[in-house]
Amino acid sequence: MEQRFRDDLIFVGGLWQRGRGAPITSQFAADGSVNATISGASAEDVEEAIARARDAQPAWAALRPHERATVLHRISQGLAAGIERIAWVQSRDTSKTLTETRALAASAAATFRYFAAVAETMDDLLTVPRGDYTTASIHEPLGLVAAITPWNSPIASDAQKVAPALAAGNAVLLKPASWSPLVSLELARIAEEAGLPQGLLSVLPGSGREVGNLLVEHRDIAKVSFTGGTSTGRRLAHAAAEKLMPISLELGGKSPTIVFEDCDIDLAIAGILFGIFSSSGQSCIAGSRLFVQRSIHDAFVERLVTATRALVVGHPFDAATQVSSLIHPEHRDSVARYVDLAREEGGTILCGGAPPAEMALQAGAYFEPTIISGLSNAARTCREEIFGPVLVVMPFEDEADVIAQGNDNDYGLACGIWSSDHRRCQRVARAIRAGTVWINTYKQFSISTPFGGDGDSGVGREKGREGLRAYQRQKSIYEDMSGRPHPWARWP
Ligand code: NAP
């Protein structure tokens, strides 16, 4: 089916209008062409969206959970029916392969379906009383929530915030990343068609420093749910502290993958390639630091390099492509600078290390899958998030050594372990500082399993049943059952 971009309107409190802020251009970095220019939100648009959200939210919060769940189900169905459209828009917006964006659209549909179910089945608690009263712990929506998302997997990260926040009875103001505004507007269309009451969702493309900042600092915003880089997250946490506002932060990573000598080598190589080079490495959980036990190091790395050279770098719409263009030429240049830094730090480039030579790819923001050896874990290349198809590989001696090296990093998002010794896998999984550990697999996700990071990788968890609670506040209610005056009053 032939696809087209829509008009330049944005979704302000349930109404499609022309934003009064600076225009935003979405680029197809795979060939440098422009997808669309949309109007950006202004401060007035933000105020209007907030006013409409304030008006709409109480009635939404007053609905029974199963009534909210019904609307969320319809959004899920709309997403599922629109997978091809969403995948196309997101592939144009981010240059990800269609295979991947189809999977992300399906996961967004599943996220709405899951949180519809959670909304309908989550219980409040009657707590055990210590006197003649009943006690209940109930949960209420926070009110207005700002969701700020990055460009790497927009439809999935949007859904991970919007679905639980709506399910919990809030209104949501979503600010997508400036490099990928289009797919979030598609989500707004689907939510509107599903009958989400006007005002409950706004999609406000605009610069982070302006629109994002306005949302974070606004007194009517009760919570910010942020996914993005660590330095941005830290800035937002300062602003949240000023307001004493809860904030959840899903941030960057520099995740270790550990290969023990007793692993299944074929499984490990396939998992490592997927863990670092899928999404062209633009993944917070990318397994970007590879530790290989010294006894197998050289032979393993040789096979890994051969397998990496065989990966297909190509156009996102070509079904054979495994590694596509990066999101933007500026980001490709940032990845290239890190590879230069690795050279300066004394690293050896085992493969890749530059944009591909093929003429057909020259207009795009491609970068070859790259493996670097010869660096210590202390090198900047090994400490900082590159967010591209770049893997550093280092040897280790034994379990204690790799746990120490793996944990010697400010991030704590994910870890991969490859070994056939189940007990060892479990020991290392518990000793490594990471929000998620994969054993003999990598980058697998279940919406029912919480996700988040420690240290510089963030604060809080998304997904899972408790993911809904992140958008609610708790209240305790005591009700006297005795009918007697309190003895302290010593009634005359
Ligand atoms: P980013 O530069 O931090 O931007 C993320 C979002 O924050 C964008 O919408 C951005 O808007 C906005 N923003 C920037 N400055 C802001 C400010 N002062 N106030 C409010 N909002 C502001 O990150 P990115 O480059 O888009 O994304 C890549 C990063 O996200 C990587 O570090 C990656 O690891 C992380 N990530 C983490 C997870 C996770 O779950 N842990 C998942 C995916 C990605 P503009 O686009 O307009 O600047």
Side-chain angles (χ1 to χ4, degrees), residues 175-218:
K175 196 215 85 68
S178 296
W179 280 348
S180 60
L182 300 179
V183 81
S184 305
L185 293 164
E186 292 294 321
L187 173 61
R189 298 254 173 212
I190 288 167
E192 182 185 39
E193 282 161 18
L196 183 74
Q198 228 176 46
L200 290 174
L201 177 65
S202 288
V203 178
L204 303 169
S207 108
R209 284 176 190 280
E210 290 164 34
V211 175
N213 212 38
L214 282 169
L215 288 170
V216 174
E217 292 185 351
H218 201 285

Side-chain angles (χ1 to χ4, degrees), residues 54-118:
R54 237 179 6 230
D55 290 347
Q57 189 267 336
W60 178 245
L63 290 180
R64 304 276 176 222
H66 69 272
E67 293 169 325
R68 291 201 294 272
T70 306
V71 180
L72 264 70
H73 265 297
R74 286 202 299 265
I75 299 177
S76 167
Q77 284 158 359
L79 284 163
I83 281 180
E84 284 306 310
R85 165 82 192 162
I86 296 163
W88 179 80
V89 170
Q90 183 156 330
S91 281
R92 293 287 306 212
D93 226 2
T94 61
S95 292
K96 277 173 179 280
T97 63
L98 273 178
T99 317
E100 192 184 341
T101 54
R102 282 189 187 116
L104 289 169
S107 108
T111 300
F112 273 90
R113 192 181 65 228
Y114 178 80
F115 279 107
V118 174

Side-chain angles (χ1 to χ4, degrees), residues 108-401:
T111 300
F112 273 90
R113 192 181 65 228
Y114 178 80
F115 279 107
V118 174
E120 196 160 347
T121 57
M122 201 84 163
D123 290 325
D124 278 329
L125 273 183
L126 273 181
T127 53
V128 180
R130 290 177 170 262
D132 285 339
Y133 47 80
T134 60
T135 45
S137 167
I138 64 161
H139 295 83
E140 298 175 339
L142 294 166
L144 272 51
V145 170
I148 302 180
T149 52
W151 45 260
N152 64 321
S153 304
I155 192 70
S157 35
D158 291 358
Q160 249 164 254
K161 298 181 186 313
V162 174
L166 287 176
N170 301 283
V172 185
L173 297 105
L174 171 64
K175 196 215 85 68
S178 296
W179 280 348
S180 60
L182 300 179
V183 81
S184 305
L185 293 164
E186 292 294 321
L187 173 61
R189 298 254 173 212
I190 288 167
E192 182 185 39
E193 282 161 18
L196 183 74
Q198 228 176 46
L200 290 174
L201 177 65
S202 288
V203 178
L204 303 169
S207 108
R209 284 176 190 280
E210 290 164 34
V211 175
N213 212 38
L214 282 169
L215 288 170
V216 174
E217 292 185 351
H218 201 285
R219 65 188 154 77
D220 289 345
I221 296 293
K223 167 160 182 155
V224 168
S225 178
F226 173 79
T227 299
T230 299
S231 58
T232 315
R234 197 166 267 127
R235 243 194 324 272
L236 268 53
H238 280 290
E242 280 300 314
K243 282 172 65 182
L244 290 180
M245 168 183 70
I247 181 165
S248 60
L249 301 169
E250 299 284 350
L251 308 177
K254 190 78 180 180
S255 299
T257 296
I258 300 168
V259 175
F260 285 102
E261 59 193 1
D262 61 356
C263 73
D264 180 319
I265 304 255
D266 288 339
L267 291 192
I269 287 186
I272 289 162
L273 292 178
F274 180 63
I276 179 65
F277 296 127
S278 60
S279 310
S280 306
Q282 302 165 114
S283 166
C284 54
I285 44 161
S288 49
R289 282 188 299 151
L290 176 62
F291 294 98
V292 183
Q293 196 152 18
R294 196 178 291 280
S295 52
I296 61 163
H297 178 274
D298 292 356
F300 186 90
V301 172
E302 199 182 316
R303 280 191 62 183
L304 185 67
V305 168
T306 305
T308 301
R309 288 205 173 105
L311 292 173
V312 178
V313 180
H315 195 275
F317 291 170
D318 182 340
T321 295
Q322 289 163 291
V323 181
S324 181
S325 166
L326 303 189
I327 175 88
H328 198 279
E330 282 174 26
H331 185 57
R332 188 259 328 270
D333 294 347
S334 149
V335 170
R337 280 195 296 277
Y338 266 110
V339 175
D340 289 342
L341 171 70
R343 289 188 181 98
E344 285 161 27
E345 290 185 309
T348 304
I349 311 299
L350 300 178
C351 60
E358 286 95 316
M359 279 311 290
L361 303 180
Q362 292 305 303
Y366 296 87
F367 201 85
E368 288 277 3
T370 299
I371 301 182
I372 302 168
S373 70
L375 292 173
S376 98
N377 189 44
R380 268 185 64 203
T381 311
C382 302
R383 304 199 72 79
E384 297 176 16
E385 185 183 45
I386 298 175
F387 219 57
V390 179
L391 176 68
V392 281
V393 52
M394 291 165 277
F396 71 90
E397 304 303 332
D398 56 21
E399 209 175 298
D401 176 30

